[in-house]
């Protein structure tokens, strides 16, 4: 089934995917060869809104993952401060060893 829509814009493959993703057309074959620019603008706006909602959801999920990870590390008494202190102590030891070997 093809829709006969008067239009002046030839949609690209990406535009066709947007039109299908936003629910304007069910299959790629239903999309006419030329569409009105307003139809594509509406579809792009809907795609932007859907993408924003997806990104908001992923951000919230990532926040909960970071919170869970921080709680796990707090239970094991791990922190950035203790990690940095251990790393700097290791560097001091390496620097002392290298300085000792240079003086010999």
């Amino acid at each position: 089934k093809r829709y006969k829509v008067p239009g002046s814009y030839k949609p690209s493959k990406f535009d066709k995917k947007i039109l299908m993703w936003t629910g304007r057309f069910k299959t790629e074959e239903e999309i006419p060869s030329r569409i009105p620019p307003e139809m594509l603008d509406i579809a792009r706006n809907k795609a932007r809104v859907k993408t924003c909602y997806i990104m908001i959801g992923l951000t919230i999920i990532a926040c909960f993952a970071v919170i869970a990870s921080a709680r796990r590390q707090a239970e094991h008494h791990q922190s950035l401060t203790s990690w940095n202190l251990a790393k700097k102590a290791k560097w001091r030891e390496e620097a002392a060893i290298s300085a000792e070997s240079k003086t010999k």
Side-chain angles (χ1 to χ4, degrees):
K1 166 175 161 180
R2 287 207 144 308
Y3 292 98
K4 293 187 179 182
V5 180
S8 61
Y9 182 77
K10 185 177 179 185
S12 65
K13 289 188 179 222
F14 183 70
D15 293 335
K16 290 180 181 182
K17 289 186 189 291
I18 288 176
L19 288 167
M20 289 187 318
W21 188 51
T22 56
R24 183 71 178 160
F25 297 100
K26 300 291 180 201
T27 63
E28 199 169 321
E29 290 80 33
E30 291 179 356
I31 301 173
S33 60
R34 303 200 66 73
I35 60 170
E38 295 83 20
M39 181 187 294
L40 188 59
D41 287 341
I42 291 169
R44 284 180 179 166
N45 287 335
K46 283 184 181 180
R48 281 187 198 104
V49 170
K50 281 185 175 185
T51 304
C52 287
Y53 284 148
I54 289 170
M55 290 176 69
I56 288 169
L58 291 174
T59 302
I60 291 171
I61 290 169
C63 288
F64 284 118
V66 168
I67 290 169
S69 172
R71 285 186 180 170
R72 228 178 291 121
Q73 287 183 352
E75 288 173 0
H76 296 291
H77 302 292
Q78 295 175 343
S79 68
L80 285 175
T81 306
S82 63
W83 185 71
N84 281 334
L85 289 173
K87 184 172 64 171
K88 288 179 182 178
K90 182 181 173 187
W91 288 349
R92 281 189 204 106
E93 285 178 24
E94 291 174 356
I97 292 171
S98 68
E100 218 174 86
S101 66
K102 285 182 182 178
T103 57
K104 288 184 180 181

